[in-house]
Amino acid sequence: MPDEMIDIRTDDGVADAYLTRPDGVSGPLPGVLFVIDAIGLRPRTKEMADRIASWGYVVLAPNVFYRHGTATELEPTLDLTDPDSRRPFFAQAMPRVHALTDDLAEADLSRYLDTLRGLDDVADGSVGATGYCAGGRWALLAAATRPDVVGAIGMFHTGGLVTDDSASPHLRLPRVRAEILAIHADRDATMPPEAIAMFEHALTSSGVTHHATVYPGAPHGYTMSDTAAFHPEATEEHFDALRSLFARKLH
């Protein structure tokens, strides 16, 4: 899988990013923005980006936490397959997530999209986005910020989509033109059943084309094989559904 790390200049510095393409396929190809989870850009998320690229896409996975260090510097040193390691790691990681405000994220996401679309081997037309955990919220923000660019988004084990705040993610849906795929986890304290129902109502009332489901028995973080939350069956369903979405909307 041809891959490389590139630097993307932003208003606040330089974001390192993983760029991957399929083997033996000549461009131009549709582009996909891969928005990482709270844990960061690391071997598991690069592996996931590679798999998506193998379907026939150029995939860009930025280190969205670049203000706090490079992907290598931020990579977990604890074994997150051990549930006891999660608490100390996330105590360290969550301040980075909260520090990435919507204002900062909007500017960054727009720069990432422009970088992706500006690559020689990326085709004209809509790009896709896929986001995990907090990355799902940022993927939705990308689609709301650049509705002319983002044609399809996947959101997986994404929490906090419905809040009492005036900036709640679900309130962005009227600005979205992309088709949305969301696969929630039914054992996710950050997205309880009542929030899932409210998000579904917001999707429907906004007229957004969508497919939203809840995977039974899956915890928050189910796609991440380097953590204790990994759920192989839910992960494979997410890949199958995402592949179908991108094939339908980006080609």
Side-chain angles (χ1 to χ4, degrees):
M1 184 72 62
D3 60 71
E4 59 183 315
M5 292 296 296
I6 66 170
D7 289 335
I8 301 172
R9 182 152 301 275
T10 73
D11 294 340
D12 293 327
V14 177
D16 48 327
Y18 181 69
L19 181 63
T20 180
R21 305 168 174 87
D23 277 319
V25 180
S26 59
L29 299 170
V32 171
L33 181 66
F34 185 107
V35 192
I36 58 175
D37 63 354
I39 300 173
L41 181 60
R42 59 199 193 280
R44 172 52 180 168
T45 46
K46 291 177 181 178
E47 176 185 81
M48 293 169 71
D50 285 343
R51 181 163 173 180
I52 294 168
S54 75
W55 304 337
Y57 302 97
V58 177
V59 182
L60 180 68
N63 168 26
V64 300
F65 306 121
Y66 68 90
R67 293 175 180 85
H68 303 271
T70 66
T72 299
E73 291 168 342
L74 299 178
E75 194 170 308
T77 57
L78 297 171
D79 178 7
L80 297 181
T81 62
D82 176 3
D84 292 336
S85 296
R86 290 177 62 83
R87 187 183 300 273
F89 173 78
F90 281 103
Q92 189 178 57
M94 290 312 294
R96 298 195 289 264
V97 177
H98 297 313
L100 188 54
T101 63
D102 284 356
D103 287 345
L104 293 176
E106 280 188 19
D108 287 349
L109 290 162
S110 194
R111 190 65 54 84
Y112 302 149
L113 288 169
D114 287 341
T115 299
L116 178 62
R117 296 179 81 214
L119 296 171
D120 290 341
D121 54 352
V122 171
D124 294 335
S126 296
V127 304
T130 183
Y132 302 85
C133 180
R137 297 198 301 272
W138 294 320
L140 179 59
L141 181 59
T145 302
R146 299 290 298 275
D148 57 321
V149 171
V150 181
I153 64 171
M155 305 167 61
F156 305 102
H157 49 81
T158 300
L161 289 172
V162 178
T163 72
D164 295 329
D165 194 279
S166 61
S168 176
H170 79 288
L171 299 177
R172 302 171 189 151
L173 289 170
R175 292 156 40 203
V176 171
R177 297 294 174 266
E179 182 171 336
I180 292 178
L181 166 68
I183 304 181
H184 306 289
D186 76 343
R187 294 197 290 114
D188 188 348
T190 68
M191 197 64 181
E194 58 271 21
I196 291 173
M198 291 177 68
F199 188 65
E200 173 66 27
H201 176 75
L203 285 165
T204 301
S205 61
S206 298
V208 176
T209 302
H210 68 279
H211 180 68
T213 60
V214 181
Y215 199 93
H220 180 77
Y222 62 75
T223 61
M224 299 301 161
S225 62
D226 56 353
T227 76
F230 183 51
H231 191 297
E233 292 80 13
T235 297
E236 288 307 308
E237 177 162 312
H238 125 270
F239 276 125
D240 289 345
L242 185 65
R243 185 171 188 172
S244 177
L245 171 69
F246 286 167
R248 187 170 66 254
K249 298 299 293 186
L250 302 183
H251 287 278

